[in-house]
DNA sequence: GTAACTATGTTGTCAACGGACACTTCTCGT
DNA sequence: ACGAGAAGTGTCCGTTGACAACATAGTTAC
């Protein structure tokens, strides 16, 4: 009555990643064990070796996958909003929501210890932040930035959101403060359309 | 010729913490092994159990220790600067310098998975941020804040610094950008003394 | 002074883990 | 149909964290 598993799983790589994503969500990075994952899937614990030479490679792939998902969230958020300030607001909400609901994954994504997969993770990260930076470039073209260089403005905005999410996740920032802090952040970075004058550089 | 170790170490707890701090700096949190630490010190692998019931307890203690050190750095930074804006600048530099030079420790300090020691870590964290919040309270008294609530202003400032350091550590922010981003952050949060008018809330 | 008490450290054991290797089973192109 | 290589298995090894039982060293009570 064994469910007649074929010898080849079919797409073990995806299955492992998918299961790992669940475990990471529920029990964190330290809860990921190759042996447990493979046992859940029903293969031997060395089977994923072809795809992930070691545990770190799996973590790298998981982080890359996370940036893919984050990227599409940010893309959707930017696309769903009409103007510059609305886009900035929408992106901020999407980013923080993602980082808070996937706190364990986010911790992995922004970890600085990586293995061979580092290059891919970096690339996926860059791609994920594309929509945000693109929005800021448009914002600059419209003269809506309070910081000149749009790259720097975007990265600083990103850093602030990341900091808010991180400090919230580890308990430094109280839960109720988050929304208002996002408000302040959006206000700081996205100047109003009506107001012609912006905070100029000294 | 064995160095005549006494049966009791004397202050094993401090010795373990000290050695663990070195390992964390050099090889990261995942490089910490109770057995290796105890071997280095020259005691049996279960000796620290009295002080740290499990590995997580050691990590918690290490994080708490980290916040103690961060707190004194921030305190010194605040004390060394004359006025509000200088203090904000000084604190920002000290914070980011600490988070970058102790990137592995910082990652541990701001991790959100903790064990029993969570309460102590939270308390130490709160204490560590005391000088920063105090500075912002004085800043508010002098009418120098661009955000009304000094607590929120301080936390948002902190979040931004934390985000800058975190994104720099994991490679998202290029090395050369950090200083200028700190500049922008200080400018955003600490209003000039001369300028009477500040960004008001809508 | 010595006997009990408590804090501190040791030894031995166990299960789980990651990693390495040789081997087997399947798939697919020719 | 068959050979090459991809995909997965079984087994072994060293390391690790946790646990229980035991040993040692100060400390206090009497």
């Amino acid at each position: 009555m064994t469910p007649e598993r074929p010898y080849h799983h079919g797409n073990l790589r995806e299955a492992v990643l998918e299961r790992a994503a669940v475990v990471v969500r529920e029990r964190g990075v330290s809860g990921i064990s190759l042996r447990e994952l493979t046992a859940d899937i029903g293969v031997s614990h060395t089977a994923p070796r072809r795809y992930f030479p070691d545990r770190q490679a799996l973590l790298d792939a998981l982080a890359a996958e996370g940036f893919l998902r984050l990227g599409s969230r940010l893309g959707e958020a930017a696309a769903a909003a009409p103007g510059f300030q609305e886009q900035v607001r929408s992106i901020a909400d999407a980013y923080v929501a993602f980082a808070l609901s996937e706190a364990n994954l986010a911790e992995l994504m922004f970890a600085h210890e990586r293995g061979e997969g580092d290059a891919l993770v970096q690339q996926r990260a860059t791609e994920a932040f594309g929509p945000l930076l693109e929005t800021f470039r448009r914002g600059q073209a419209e003269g809506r930035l309070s910081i000149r260089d749009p790259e720097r403005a975007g990265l600083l905005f990103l850093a602030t959101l990341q900091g808010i999410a991180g400090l919230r996740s580890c308990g430094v920032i109280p839960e109720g403060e988050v929304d208002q802090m996002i408000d302040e952040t959006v206000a700081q970075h996205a100047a109003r359309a009506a107001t012609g004058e912006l905070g100029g550089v000294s």
Side-chain angles (χ1 to χ4, degrees), chain A:
Chain A
M1 210 48 70
T2 55
E4 194 63 38
R5 312 247 174 203
Y7 188 88
H8 287 85
H9 179 279
N11 58 353
L12 222 201
R13 194 190 132 92
E14 304 311 314
V16 171
L17 274 178
E18 190 175 335
R19 183 76 195 129
V22 172
V23 172
V24 135
R25 185 176 306 127
E26 293 174 353
R27 308 208 307 270
V29 176
S30 63
I32 287 191
S33 138
L34 263 321
R35 292 184 110 99
E36 188 188 323
L37 291 180
T38 52
D40 289 347
I41 296 175
V43 295
S44 74
H45 74 278
T46 54
R49 180 173 266 289
R50 309 277 173 198
Y51 312 103
F52 312 110
D54 57 16
R55 191 182 114 106
Q56 185 59 52
L58 168 61
L59 298 185
D60 289 350
L62 211 50
E65 189 74 13
F67 276 116
L68 268 183
R69 283 202 292 154
L70 175 60
S72 45
R73 297 279 189 93
L74 295 185
E76 293 166 12
F84 174 67
Q85 186 166 16
E86 291 80 5
Q87 284 179 12
V88 171
R89 148 66 66 182
S90 175
I91 286 174
D93 287 339
Y95 188 93
V96 174
F98 180 90
L100 290 184
S101 71
E102 299 276 12
N104 289 330
L105 179 59
E107 198 165 315
L108 173 61
M109 288 162 61
F110 294 101
H112 62 283
E113 277 183 328
R114 279 202 212 300
E116 300 297 322
D118 184 67
L120 178 63
V121 176
Q122 292 282 342
Q123 184 188 333
R124 290 275 185 275
T126 304
E127 292 167 6
F129 301 142
L132 185 151
L133 293 180
E134 183 55 32
T135 292
F136 271 74
R137 278 188 216 104
R138 279 197 301 270
Q140 186 206 29
E142 299 174 16
R144 310 278 294 274
L145 295 191
S146 49
I147 294 175
R148 277 211 191 136
D149 181 352
E151 303 282 335
R152 184 176 304 146
L155 281 180
L156 185 56
F157 179 66
L158 188 66
T160 306
L161 299 178
Q162 170 67 13
I164 292 173
L167 293 188
R168 172 64 203 111
S169 283
C170 75
V172 170
I173 294 178
E175 185 166 3
E177 286 287 306
V178 172
D179 281 344
Q180 282 166 297
M181 290 177 71
I182 296 178
D183 287 344
E184 302 282 6
T185 303
V186 171
Q188 278 179 342
H189 285 82
R192 284 271 159 72
T195 335
E197 193 182 3
L198 304 176
V201 182
S202 74

